[in-house]
Amino acid sequence: MALKINGVNPAPGFKKYPGHSVTTRPSNAQVRVTYRGEVIADTREAVELHESQSSSHVLAPVVYYVPRKDVKMERLARTSHKTHCPFKGDASYFSVAGGPENSVWGYEQPYDEMAAIKGLLAFYPDKFEVKPS
């Protein structure tokens, strides 16, 4: 769902880079996230995020955002690491206990256009096996 919202917290990136596209939609897949064979997340309620600079230049593979209720939150520890995206907002990070640091992220207060990923978590695919089926 590509949203154009004139809300209270619009993403500045879309105005500055009008050719940039970030879209979300509910995933039809069951998404399982594992770390060294251990299931860290398993959901049928993931949200897919697709991002590109133009119709011919995809920036990254699809990113699956997972509801926290479907994540083993006891295996994650919040870190002080933060990043900013002009399209999504400020990201907070988590590390896996005994595993990769700052490898899980989420947007707790995303820009209006990215409301679909609010409070959900994503996993770096080079640190986890993220498998839709």
Side-chain angles (χ1 to χ4, degrees):
M1 57 186 100
L3 300 176
K4 295 292 181 198
I5 298 175
N6 293 324
V8 295
N9 190 27
F14 293 108
K15 188 172 186 176
K16 188 172 182 180
Y17 305 102
H20 196 95
S21 172
V22 182
T23 59
T24 61
R25 68 174 180 233
S27 179
N28 291 325
Q30 177 172 353
V31 177
R32 179 171 284 167
V33 179
T34 59
Y35 174 69
R36 294 185 175 170
E38 177 188 359
V39 175
I40 300 295
D42 193 358
T43 189
R44 289 197 136 302
E45 298 176 27
V47 172
E48 295 180 9
L49 184 137
H50 302 264
E51 188 165 4
S52 61
Q53 286 182 333
S54 68
S55 61
S56 63
H57 188 240
V58 174
L59 291 178
V62 62
V63 176
Y64 293 96
Y65 283 81
V66 176
R68 291 179 191 216
K69 69 179 183 64
D70 296 327
V71 176
K72 288 185 178 175
M73 294 301 295
E74 69 275 8
R75 292 286 286 122
L76 304 181
R78 184 182 293 272
T79 71
S80 61
H81 186 66
K82 306 265 187 224
T83 59
H84 177 78
C85 172
F87 303 99
K88 297 178 222 90
D90 295 323
S92 300
Y93 285 78
F94 296 83
S95 295
V96 174
E101 294 184 7
N102 300 317
S103 54
V104 180
W105 77 96
Y107 296 89
E108 292 169 11
Q109 295 296 323
Y111 289 125
D112 294 339
E113 295 88 342
M114 294 294 110
I117 62 169
K118 181 177 182 173
L120 306 182
L121 296 175
F123 299 79
Y124 279 112
D126 62 331
K127 307 290 184 197
F128 298 89
E129 181 179 9
V130 180
K131 195 172 188 179
S133 60

